[in-house]
Amino acid sequence: MVSYKEIQASNALINDATAPRVAVFVGGTSGIGKLTIRALVATGATVRIYLVGRKSAEERTHAFIQELHAINPKAEVIWTEGEVALLAETKRVCEVIKSKESRVDLLFLTAGYAPFGTRRETTEGLEVAQSLSYYSRMLFILHLLPLLGAAEAPRVVSVLGGGMERASSINLGDLDLKKPGNFGGITAQTQNIALNTTTLEKLANDNPNVTFIHSWPGWVNTGNVRRGSPGLIMAWFIRLILDPLVRLLSLSDEESGQRHLFQCTSAAFGGRGVQWKGKPGINSLEKPADGLFLINFRCNCTPNAKVMPLLREKALGKVWDHTQEVLRPYL
Ligand SMILES: NC(=O)c1ccc[n+]([C@@H]2O[C@H](COP(=O)([O-])OP(=O)(O)OC[C@H]3O[C@@H](n4cnc5c(N)ncnc54)[C@H](OP(=O)(O)O)[C@@H]3O)[C@@H](O)[C@H]2O)c1
């Protein structure tokens, strides 16, 4: 475990030389994304942040941006409206960023929710939570890779469930869980976790100049488990058991923000970033080298050595072909 003291000591070293100069936060309007933005801005470093969110979040996000500017006048936070559950919108937002920037140092992806409830589809025919936590995230990465490639220590962080992959639970015959009876809250979340890790590892292998992180945040009391549209029994389960449990066991907001800021900046993961004198992080190939890091809420690397070879051997080909097919019209 990386202690909270070590996290705070590392984050205290973030300055104009080590902070990401240009960062894109997708999902920073609430929850872990918002907490991480606050922690980054509070370092006092010069940063430009594209804060991507949907129209309904605009008003409260403007108030948040004012708060950030008061904390650190050197932080420029640019509200970038987009309904990122839609891939066409994701593409449009990426075009806006590409027209303004030549580099991106950090891409931080948190949009999504635990899909406890019935299957809901976007107008593009994808399940909403899957589009947010997988397809839209991968599309952001693919669009912004050239800009990430122009940065000195580029990093992509996807917050969902790194290290929680289960070989038995990925449905290779129905990756989008569209067939009757295949969709369920836990099934969908574990499917999206495995899809994230499988594709992120491929992208890490193909882009060795970029550090990739799939983070499992543990429990953070953001209201995320209440966001789906559960049936009556599930709604009561969430209200009476899950929600109180999350409140009881959660990391504090402050600690979650600091721990994710550490994941965004520390050289512990891949060697580039804020100096780290502890043990180097182990990537998903179980090597102390750059690549994809599966990181838990204690900031431990959890390479999931039993499951990863199975995902590589059995899932990667199908997942990548299918993902390309879905994303192709929006590239
Ligand atoms: N919190 C936890 O304990 C926990 C545990 C394990 C995994 N996770 C996963 O980690 C990720 C981040 O979690 P979090 O707690 O930070 O999430 P969160 O605060 O509930 O939401 C994160 C972002 O997702 C956006 N979002 C939610 N539903 C949306 C929709 N239908 N269309 C467009 N945007 C939508 C929110 O936008 P608005 O601000 O506009 O609502 C917000 O910006 C999620 O994928 C979550 O499932 C969380």
Side-chain angles (χ1 to χ4, degrees), residues 35 160 185 204 210 259 291:
L35 297 169
L160 188 64
V210 182
R259 283 191 176 273

Side-chain angles (χ1 to χ4, degrees), residues 26-33 52-54 56-57 60 83-85 109-114 120 128 132-133 137 159-161 189 216-225 227 246 250:
V26 187
T29 49
S30 320
I32 295 160
V52 181
R54 50 186 167 171
S56 57
R60 61 185 155 88
E83 186 59 72
V84 298
L109 303 160
T110 53
Y113 58 88
R120 287 188 294 163
V128 179
L132 287 166
S133 60
R137 293 187 189 193
V159 180
L160 188 64
Q189 191 78 332
W216 174 48
W219 284 358
V220 190
N221 187 16
T222 61
N224 191 265
V225 290
R227 281 186 184 268
V246 170
S250 281

Side-chain angles (χ1 to χ4, degrees), residues 13 45 68 89 95 103 116 118 166 171 177 181 217 265 280 330:
L13 298 176
L68 294 171
E89 272 287 278
E95 298 299 348
R103 66 185 269 176
F116 298 141
T118 48
R166 302 283 172 266
N171 187 335
L177 305 178
T265 52
Y330 309 99

Side-chain angles (χ1 to χ4, degrees), residues 15 37 40 97 126 134 136 200 208 212 245 272 293-294 329:
N15 54 33
I37 292 177
L40 172 60
I97 295 168
L126 295 172
Y134 178 61
S136 163
L200 288 174
F212 287 82
L245 213 55
R272 286 174 293 201
F293 296 86
L294 307 174

